Amino acid sequence: MENLKKKVEVLRESFREALGSVRGLEELEKLRVRYLGRKGEITLLFKLLKELDPNERREAGALLNTLKEEVQEALNLKKEELKKARGREKVDLTLPGREYSLGGLHPLTAVLEEMIEIFVGLGFKVEEGPEIEWDFYNFEALNIPPHHPARDMWSTLFITEKMMLRTHTSPVQVRVMEREKPPLRFISPGRVYRKDAFDASHSPAFYQLEGLYVDKKVTFSDLKGTLELFARELFGSNTRVKFVPSYFPFTEPSAEMSVNWGKGWLELVGCGMVHPAVFNAVGLDPDEWTGYAFGVGVDRVAMIKLGIDDIRLFYENDLRFLRRYLR
Ligand code: PHE
């Protein structure tokens, strides 16, 4: 009997310790089996009862029953506790979803894409050229030889004597004509660079959209008609356009197209008929081929369309500005 009492005490103590270190429901079930299972430690003690004489048996039985109930209750409590803890880790489906920030097009890109769409609709392909360009493409092949004063029209950022950041998208004209036989009809949008200080109307990097059409018997009327259509698509059907004589070494005759959509005239496009010297530079016979070319200032168009009077807004990446034009 004394022996049994001691065993009960030892079991009670070892159970309490084991219970304290239980971390999950599986461990708890293992513990239950170890003490209350068919071959569990408490179960085995009950089997010893037979060996006691009958008057001791009653007391011992009561002792064991108390232990069993204690253990059972402690196991139940722990189970509840563990279940609650697990519930707390569950996903709360009533929480609002996590917000994804998808971003959007930069206002300049959006306007540029609109312009591209218009020309693509008129049958123009889209070509690209490098932003770091050879003197040959940026100047020489465009009828601007070294030391020619016409170079002053483009304040150039040189990398080496023969290499520069392109000052306009016109070199793409040369690259494509070198590579492909006419008829050709493409636009070439892209970034260009000039050694200009940043102010409200100048940026050292800005965008142009070049256009070139080469075929037999292309006339100045074709150029006028196309650009006029472009302006009306872009600014509305009441838009008026005006062609003023101008000078570019790679077109002859040359002109600037100004646009008036009700707020005065604004110069937007340089253009003209492809100069014979350019055809010669790319190995095309100027007696056989004719063409027109134009270059549109994309930033200017965007400024007008968005009603902005400072070009720097496009390049400062101020989110307060950019968000206003998110679509
Ligand atoms: N490349 C000229 C410029 O940057 C614009 C232009 C393009 C003029 C094509 C005529 C023909 O000013």
Side-chain angles (χ1 to χ4, degrees), residues 154 168 170 173 194 208 210 248 250-251 270-271 293-295:
W154 297 273
H168 51 178
S170 299
Q173 291 184 32
R194 295 199 191 163
Q208 285 190 336
E210 191 81 8
F248 298 102
F250 37 93
T251 47
C271 59
F294 57 85

Side-chain angles (χ1 to χ4, degrees), residues 127-289:
E127 299 280 357
E128 278 185 301
E131 290 177 16
I132 296 175
E133 190 53 282
W134 295 107
D135 186 278
F136 175 76
Y137 293 103
N138 196 84
F139 288 134
E140 270 182 70
L142 290 168
N143 198 27
I144 313 165
H147 312 301
H148 194 282
R151 292 205 176 202
D152 281 354
M153 290 173 74
W154 297 273
S155 24
T156 311
L157 288 158
F158 285 95
I159 292 168
T160 68
E161 215 179 304
K162 289 277 160 209
M163 203 191 264
M164 63 202 65
L165 294 176
R166 64 178 180 186
T167 59
H168 51 178
T169 42
S170 299
V172 185
Q173 291 184 32
V174 181
R175 284 180 173 272
V176 176
M177 281 192 282
E178 255 186 354
R179 194 177 70 212
E180 284 172 42
K181 287 270 148 258
L184 292 168
R185 194 194 338 236
F186 66 86
I187 52 166
S188 185
R191 210 200 272 253
V192 301
Y193 302 85
R194 295 199 191 163
K195 193 172 166 295
D196 282 333
F198 239 145
D199 65 33
S201 54
H202 293 87
S203 161
F206 58 102
Y207 286 81
Q208 285 190 336
L209 185 139
E210 191 81 8
L212 180 71
Y213 177 40
V214 178
D215 205 337
K216 308 220 158 139
K217 299 199 173 83
V218 177
T219 68
F220 199 89
S221 315
D222 296 324
L223 171 62
K224 280 185 77 175
T226 303
L227 287 180
E228 189 173 336
L229 210 117
F230 163 69
R232 298 223 163 109
E233 286 280 322
L234 200 59
F235 298 110
S237 51
N238 293 329
T239 307
R240 288 191 292 153
V241 299
K242 170 169 92 174
F243 288 81
V244 179
S246 183
Y247 170 74
F248 298 102
F250 37 93
T251 47
E252 179 59 35
S254 303
E256 312 257 0
M257 183 180 78
S258 298
V259 173
N260 190 337
W261 71 109
K263 290 180 191 150
W265 294 98
L266 225 121
E267 265 176 37
L268 276 192
V269 185
C271 59
M273 302 307 289
V274 178
H275 196 290
V278 178
F279 282 136
N280 281 327
V282 296
L284 290 176
D285 181 355
D287 290 328
E288 186 183 358
W289 299 104

Side-chain angles (χ1 to χ4, degrees), residues 42 49-50 53 70 85 121-122 149 182 214 256 259 292 296 301 315:
I42 296 175
L49 284 180
K50 298 200 275 304
D53 55 69
E70 251 177 58
L122 292 170
V214 178
E256 312 257 0
V259 173
Y292 65 69
V296 189
V301 170
Y315 299 99

Side-chain angles (χ1 to χ4, degrees), residues 235 266-268 297-305 311 314:
F235 298 110
L266 225 121
E267 265 176 37
L268 276 192
V298 177
D299 303 68
R300 271 227 171 147
V301 170
M303 285 167 76
I304 293 168
K305 282 201 75 105
I311 192 174
F314 289 139

